[in-house]
Amino acid sequence: MSDDTAQKHSRGLSRRRLMQGAAAAGVAAWIPFEQIPAAQAALPTPPSFPGGIPLFQQSYKNWSGAIAVDGVWTCTPSNPAQVVTLANWARANGWRLRAKGSSHNWSPLSLAVDGSDAAKVVLVDTKTNLTAISVDTATSRVRVQTGATMLAMMTALENSGLGLTASPAPGDLTVGGVLAIDGHGTAVPKTGETKPAGHTYGSISNLVQQITAVVWNAATSSYVLKTYNRNDVEAGALMAHVGRSFITEVVLQAGANQRLRCQSWFNVPATELFANSTSGRTFSSYLNSAGRVEAIWFPFTSNPWLKVWSVAPSKPLLSRQVNSPYNYTFSDNLPQSIFDLSAQIVSSNPANTPSFGDLNYNIVAAGLVTTLTYDIWGWSKNLLLYVRPSTLRVTANGYAILCKRADVQRVIQEFTFRYSTRLNDYRNQGKYPMNGPVEIRVTGLDKPGDVGATRSPQMSALRPRPDHPEWDCAVWLDILTLPGTPYADVFYAEMEQWIYSNYSSYADVRPEWSKGWGYTASGAWTSTPVIDTTVPNTFRTGYPVNDNWDSARAMLDILDPARVFSSAFVDRLLL
Ligand SMILES: Cc1cc2nc3c(=O)[nH]c(=O)nc-3n(C[C@H](O)[C@H](O)[C@H](O)COP(=O)(O)OP(=O)(O)OC[C@H]3O[C@@H](n4cnc5c(N)ncnc54)[C@H](O)[C@@H]3O)c2cc1C
């Protein structure tokens, strides 16, 4: 077969984390937890809770399993007006609300890692009822309630001949959850590509044309529903609010749907793909030829899984047509051997990590061939959505490195070299902190002009820097590992410090809100300098004082002065 076709803690491990890790590694299905109706709950019900809104206690567990809290009050309003009723109830009674989508977020935006901020909180489930979607083909826009899933929204778009250029890989995330954290996929224009109308190479937040939130009305001293247009000052803070608001509905811009081809490659060594070179099969060369690239590199293996999407109006001869998403079934239905090995790595035998990397590599390499998915073609949604929740549960750090397109290869080369060098240093000490892959994607920035607007999502990691117009893209860097892996937090902290210091001379570093960042040896989201100084500063530098991090925070306070929509961590970040 040709190359083209056959791609072929330092802190010790606490018992709690060990159990979390083993459980996370061993459970393959994502099952909603049992609901205990308020009338049967052991705890007293929230006082004067509004009638007619189903209320129950339910365990909260995020996707990675690292945040697990029993018996959290949860309710299912049937429409946006009921969310307003809830907000006014919460304010009057000193309770808080938090929107609950699919609970896939890693960072503690909804509940603290130890559950310590779950008292006097009602989670507001959006997925049950706030799911209406309607497409306006005249404007190529979709009006969508925020509990709708990305799959449902993208299916509705597809049915109207519309689509997105890039999206987060899972389809079961809610639109509200994705907008809160400026969800992204992977896409920049290939060499010579003209952006089709209505599309963006930035985040989903950059598609907002209208946004409806539950906000405080000073004139009536009550929370109300209010709709803002994209260029309204309030929209700047709401389009990527990091968990500090409640959005009920948005109108998103879309464009003509495209057919995409996705080719997977396993024959390009990391040494070539990530080389400090302007020739050969570098990551940048694939960006130039196709614009849409993802590299997944399992630890201690030599060849990454390289996915290259290209716009292909008609089916290439060798491609296989796909008519639905989630085509890499081998990574969503992993064999028991993976779960067995991952549990061993976390609990007793970390030296199995290189074998684990090999096993993962082999499953993908074989899976691509046996499922005939090394070269697939179809409507964009079927190529852009490729992760199911049943994939191996891992935790991840995440950063967006804003830089010049010409520096993308340098960013990647420096990162991968540092990562592999340190991983080998740790191995020489008998430590294996990282057992999941490195994932690398590249997107454009949130240029408001992409959708005919002038205002940017102020807290989006992809917000362009006006003082650095040459920074026109972002390299997204993630390293994945099983929850509870010994020395992971030390390694993550070390990599983070290196990332901040290495890129400061020619790029900017932003956290990926949904993932791990702000590391110390005590874990993610614990570094005082990163949370209080480094991160806010990247959203201050270069922006006018009336349109920066502080003005976004102040606006979110005006819109919710009682801080009904916040959590301990969001308070810490945005107070
Ligand atoms: C396996 C996996 C793969 C992923 N891949 C990607 C990827 O490719 N690209 C990417 O960008 N991200 C990715 N993510 C991260 C994901 O996009 C975010 O965690 C997202 O927030 C999850 O959406 P959710 O519906 O689960 O939100 P939840 O986890 O339920 O909520 C996350 C935050 O959003 C807030 N929120 C939810 N709905 C609303 C609303 N209506 N109004 C206001 N706030 C709201 C919540 O209060 C909370 O603060 C991935 C996550 C997982 C687990």
Side-chain angles (χ1 to χ4, degrees):
M1 280 188 242
S2 76
D3 283 354
D4 287 49
T5 49
Q7 291 318 308
K8 322 194 218 245
H9 243 2
S10 58
R11 84 179 155 145
L13 182 62
S14 74
R15 186 166 176 275
R16 180 170 165 267
R17 281 173 64 84
L18 189 149
M19 288 171 65
Q20 282 173 353
V27 179
W30 179 250
I31 303 163
F33 294 95
E34 188 193 353
Q35 300 175 353
I36 303 169
Q40 294 163 25
L43 293 174
T45 49
S48 319
F49 192 78
I53 303 176
L55 175 72
F56 44 87
Q57 286 197 306
Q58 192 176 31
S59 294
Y60 174 91
K61 196 172 185 185
N62 73 341
W63 177 82
S64 75
I67 305 179
V69 186
D70 286 337
V72 185
W73 288 112
T74 308
C75 67
T76 49
S78 45
N79 53 50
Q82 288 196 336
V83 184
V84 174
T85 303
L86 285 163
N88 285 312
W89 164 81
R91 177 183 163 267
N93 289 277
W95 279 59
R96 287 183 145 188
L97 306 174
R98 277 159 220 166
K100 179 184 179 185
S102 295
S103 305
H104 277 17
N105 205 55
W106 279 277
S107 57
L109 300 181
S110 296
L111 290 173
V113 176
D114 61 2
S116 56
D117 64 346
K120 297 184 93 174
V121 166
V122 178
L123 298 181
V124 181
D125 169 299
T126 59
K127 276 183 93 169
T128 306
N129 295 316
L130 302 181
T131 56
I133 303 174
S134 60
V135 177
D136 177 6
T137 46
T139 56
S140 302
R141 292 178 182 179
V142 57
R143 179 177 294 276
V144 56
Q145 289 185 327
T146 49
T149 61
M150 291 295 289
L151 173 62
M153 184 185 78
M154 290 164 78
T155 303
L157 285 172
E158 182 181 285
N159 291 339
S160 298
L162 299 169
L164 309 180
T165 282
S167 74
D172 64 328
L173 311 173
T174 63
V175 171
V178 166
L179 290 172
I181 52 83
D182 58 89
H184 70 96
T186 186
V188 290
K190 72 170 190 173
T191 304
E193 177 174 333
T194 307
K195 185 187 79 60
H199 286 255
T200 183
Y201 300 101
S203 74
I204 301 296
S205 296
N206 195 41
L207 295 171
V208 169
Q209 291 288 11
Q210 230 177 44
I211 188 159
T212 303
V214 180
V215 302
W216 180 247
N217 181 328
T220 58
S221 288
S222 62
Y223 283 87
V224 296
L225 279 180
K226 184 122 195 236
T227 299
Y228 301 99
N229 289 319
R230 166 69 183 246
N231 290 338
D232 291 343
V233 62
E234 294 87 349
L238 291 172
M239 287 184 280
H241 58 77
V242 200
R244 182 63 184 91
S245 187
F246 198 114
I247 312 299
T248 56
E249 184 178 282
V250 286
V251 175
L252 301 181
Q253 187 66 55
N257 202 8
Q258 295 178 308
R259 305 259 205 186
L260 297 176
R261 176 189 200 184
C262 185
Q263 291 171 282
S264 286
W265 308 93
F266 247 127
N267 62 340
V268 188
T271 46
E272 183 176 357
L273 188 65
F274 305 141
N276 181 14
S277 170
T278 50
S279 62
R281 294 173 296 175
T282 61
F283 197 102
S284 277
S285 72
Y286 290 98
L287 279 187
N288 292 342
S289 62
R292 296 129 176 94
V293 184
E294 176 184 72
I296 295 188
W297 186 26
F298 296 106
F300 307 109
T301 61
S302 53
N303 291 13
W305 175 14
L306 178 65
K307 290 199 207 70
V308 181
W309 292 258
S310 45
V311 178
S314 40
K315 188 179 99 55
L317 188 63
L318 296 177
S319 291
R320 184 170 70 82
Q321 179 165 350
V322 293
N323 299 309
S324 54
Y326 310 124
N327 291 290
Y328 306 114
T329 46
F330 49 85
S331 60
D332 297 325
N333 302 293
L334 291 161
Q336 188 58 37
S337 54
I338 277 280
F339 297 111
D340 293 345
L341 200 50
S342 60
Q344 278 175 33
I345 284 173
V346 173
S347 63
S348 57
N349 202 346
N352 277 339
T353 299
S355 315
F356 187 60
D358 283 343
L359 183 58
N360 276 292
Y361 173 97
N362 288 329
I363 287 169
V364 176
L368 285 167
V369 175
T370 54
T371 61
L372 293 177
T373 46
Y374 49 83
D375 185 353
I376 55 179
W377 175 86
W379 286 118
S380 60
K381 154 190 133 278
N382 301 331
L383 283 280
L384 295 177
L385 299 178
Y386 54 91
V387 169
R388 279 190 196 275
S390 56
T391 194
L392 189 65
R393 302 250 180 108
V394 283
T395 189
N397 68 353
Y399 306 91
I401 316 296
L402 267 61
C403 65
K404 283 194 285 198
R405 173 86 174 255
D407 282 335
V408 165
Q409 189 67 21
R410 176 179 173 190
V411 167
I412 294 173
Q413 188 275 328
E414 290 172 355
F415 171 75
T416 50
F417 182 75
R418 176 73 184 185
Y419 161 80
S420 52
T421 304
R422 292 303 291 148
L423 209 58
N424 281 321
D425 293 344
Y426 273 66
R427 171 156 73 167
N428 292 338
Q429 298 166 35
K431 299 172 183 169
Y432 297 86
M434 298 291 115
N435 38 51
V438 161
E439 289 185 2
I440 301 175
R441 291 180 280 181
V442 181
T443 65
L445 302 187
D446 284 349
K447 293 188 194 161
D450 285 356
V451 295
T454 53
R455 191 172 291 283
S456 315
Q458 290 166 313
M459 297 194 299
S460 167
L462 293 179
R463 186 174 191 197
R465 280 271 299 262
D467 55 335
H468 279 285
E470 75 281 13
W471 293 348
D472 56 355
C473 60
V475 182
W476 294 86
L477 302 173
D478 302 320
I479 317 174
L480 282 57
T481 202
L482 294 164
T485 300
Y487 307 106
D489 293 327
V490 177
F491 188 89
Y492 277 141
E494 193 192 291
M495 282 304 292
E496 179 173 281
Q497 282 164 21
W498 177 85
I499 284 171
Y500 275 118
S501 102
N502 185 69
Y503 295 121
S504 61
S505 65
Y506 69 97
D508 195 9
V509 177
R510 302 253 171 92
E512 185 167 3
W513 294 124
S514 62
K515 296 189 177 159
W517 50 273
Y519 286 92
T520 67
S522 302
W525 320 292
T526 59
S527 165
T528 299
V530 171
I531 296 170
D532 293 347
T533 308
T534 316
V535 165
N537 280 348
T538 168
F539 294 96
R540 288 185 181 121
T541 312
Y543 302 106
V545 289
N546 64 351
D547 186 13
N548 68 4
W549 175 262
D550 302 297
S551 56
R553 275 190 323 170
M555 176 56 73
L556 292 166
D557 286 351
I558 291 169
L559 298 177
D560 176 20
R563 305 188 82 78
V564 165
F565 306 117
S566 193
S567 64
F569 182 66
V570 173
D571 276 352
R572 168 76 197 280
L573 184 68
L574 295 177
L575 202 58

